[in-house]
Amino acid sequence: MNTRTDTDFTHIDPDLYAKAFELLDPAPEPATPAAPAVPVPVSLILAAPPVRLTGAVEKTLTNALAFLDTQGWAKGRLIHPEGARCSIGALRAAAGARNDAYRDAGNLLLDEARQQHGKGWEAIPSWNDSHTGAQVRSVWEAAIQRAHHMNI
């Protein structure tokens, strides 16, 4: 086996990289010794407030109320020809489908309606159609606050 030891490499100045960096950064800041890292007490880490995300139920209720504010509130029908909706119609529009958030938001809204207007209400549409816009809005706002406090 013949091994060639002559590499034909050109000699490179060992300070070449240092000179190149001096040209790129002519006035580097003098190196200062870093201060020793101070450990952060565990109590400070644990005391940081948790990041709160809006729950699906709160979001659905909030979006439904915003829909009622922009498109209008209706009585006696799911969707008015001009686009206004009753409470259940607004919930359906906000949820996009009859999913868990839709069901849980509806249950919370109906529970709040029962707390404010009596236990006799069986369904959201009958409650919606039997009250004024201000009464309905009051229930929506209270349901949103409950969802917020329950973090759902």
Side-chain angles (χ1 to χ4, degrees), residues 49-71:
V51 175
R52 186 190 175 286
L53 301 175
T54 302
V57 173
E58 180 184 355
K59 183 176 180 184
T60 300
L61 290 167
T62 301
N63 290 345
L65 183 57
F67 185 90
L68 292 174
D69 287 342
T70 59
Q71 301 298 315

Side-chain angles (χ1 to χ4, degrees), residues 8-152:
D8 295 326
F9 287 126
T10 306
H11 174 72
I12 297 178
D13 181 2
D15 296 324
L16 179 66
Y17 288 108
K19 291 176 186 174
F21 285 117
E22 282 179 30
L23 292 173
L24 293 173
D25 187 13
E29 295 183 22
T32 57
V38 178
V40 177
V42 174
S43 61
L44 290 179
I45 295 170
L46 297 177
V51 175
R52 186 190 175 286
L53 301 175
T54 302
V57 173
E58 180 184 355
K59 183 176 180 184
T60 300
L61 290 167
T62 301
N63 290 345
L65 183 57
F67 185 90
L68 292 174
D69 287 342
T70 59
Q71 301 298 315
W73 171 69
K75 276 184 165 186
R77 56 183 359 170
L78 186 66
I79 303 172
H80 190 273
E82 295 175 8
R85 292 183 182 229
C86 71
S87 291
I88 199 74
L91 268 178
R92 288 180 184 170
R98 293 183 186 186
N99 53 25
D100 290 343
Y102 166 79
R103 184 182 60 249
D104 294 344
N107 287 337
L108 186 64
L109 185 68
L110 185 57
D111 186 61
E112 188 60 39
R114 288 173 176 157
Q115 285 188 18
Q116 288 189 29
H117 301 131
K119 305 250 183 240
W121 300 106
E122 297 284 325
I124 292 172
S126 58
W127 160 76
N128 179 85
D129 294 349
S130 300
H131 292 85
T132 67
Q135 291 170 320
V136 170
R137 181 170 189 79
S138 172
V139 169
W140 276 97
E141 290 172 348
I144 291 169
Q145 287 301 311
R146 281 180 59 194
H148 178 79
H149 291 299
M150 294 169 68
N151 201 25
I152 58 172

